[in-house]
Amino acid sequence: MNNLKNKEIWFVTGSQHLYGEETLKQVARDSQEIATDLNNSAHIPVKVVFKPVLKTPEEILSLCMEVNNSISCVGIITWMHTFSPAKMWINGLKVLNKPIAHLHTQYNRDIPWDTIDMDFMNLNQSAHGDREYGFIVSRMRQNRKVIVGHWKEEDIRKKIGSWSRAACGWNEWQGMKVARFGDNMREVAVTEGDKVEAQLRLGYSVNGYGVGDMVNAINQVSEADVDKLLTQYEAEYHISPEIIKPGDKRDALKESARIELGMRSFLEKGGFKAFTTTFEDLHGMKQLPGLAVQRLMEDGYGFGAEGDWKTSALVRAMKVMSTGLIGGTSFMEDYTYHLDPKGMKVLGAHMLEVCPSIGQGKASLEIHPLGIGGKEDPARLVFNVPEGKGINVSIMDMGDRFRLLANPCKVVNPDAALPKLPVARVVWIPEPDLKVSAEAWIHAGGAHHTGFSMAIGVEEMEDFAEMAGMEFLLIDNDTKIREFKKEIRWNDLYYQLRR
Ligand code: MN
């Protein structure tokens, strides 16, 4: 994955000419100091770039156009050190097409009780300057994040960090290409959706490619490259001897390696960042891609099974957002339940395709029959996932809008070793508990496929939904079913009216 330091957040300070040269120079010095300090914060993964203080409508419009045109700028932090009459911001905000974080801070943390005079008062006006600016953003019905507190506070940096991660995810979606190998799993509803609307609202394009074209790429892989990859597998994973020795299993592993190399070259050549497969359309392929999908996901590709392009795009965005953080991100499915009243939990997995980035220790590379798809036995990585905090996120096309649904969870160890389960798996307890979580999830129309992450959390996903203008529903420890159902009904009304 790319380092997010090649992405920029521009630090934009608003003021006006009323205060005179000296004050404006001080405003610029203070802003530069804050921008530099934020740029050096370990909590903020992107570059924070100071921009000259804005004093006129023309300067504001010109800066906003520059933001739109900049390839590296993924969003702006705005702050009114002094008063900045907000009608000056209208033309700029009208054209701005990147996310805004409104940092409501003040250069001085404390009021200097003994020395405060009118010069100090005139310089440190964000308490009312930011309210004037906030009004116009609200009046223009523009989404943004508002972050309140002194800029030295760690919590403020964490919030800016989460928001800038979300901005990188959103930036990634703009122009991103998703490849679909085959169509949807037949008759499945939630993985369908309006791809044109997705491109209009969310920025990424989804196009189908013949499985035969991928098979061509797979067939072009050289024997030498296959052998090289096999050596790599042997170094990276636990592999049982019967897979390594010549015979059926080794041939199956070689086929898996060939599939990985073919898919990778197809995706690289086409500039795709996410893809889908479906076990119902594998024409010309010997196996359902399992190991290949797992390893491609580990390298940062988004993935959705059964043609699920929305989850695939989501997984990619979540992977970009989590760059550099501890904990992985994977395609996931609520597979089966443990309904013991003493401790209800979910076992998450998929037929094969769980990303090793969330795994614990060295994965085991195994080959087993697959009872679905009618193909040869596929290779897959089998592993457990360490305990910790996780989140499941789902995106659905509700017909008139896209809905993002998030549910944090606690990842726990399985109760026993699962010796007969030949697939990677995660066991979790959702917030607030399985019963309320599943009831709310089902009311929300949440998909059975999710993006699952142990690196990012609610704040990033909520900021992301805000940037996308997407409905955001959260199931957590505060969720009450009665209120949640009302929220869904009210949202229905809001989104109908907004159209
Ligand atoms: Mn599935």
Side-chain angles (χ1 to χ4, degrees), residues 404-415:
L404 200 71
L405 173 64
N407 183 201
C409 64
K410 191 170 106 186
V411 177
V412 295
N413 287 322
D415 292 358

Side-chain angles (χ1 to χ4, degrees), residues 477-489:
N477 287 331
D478 294 329
T479 296
K480 300 271 179 293
I481 292 295
R482 194 171 295 126
E483 297 306 312
F484 192 73
K485 282 166 74 176
K486 280 186 216 160
E487 185 180 355
I488 291 172
R489 291 196 182 115

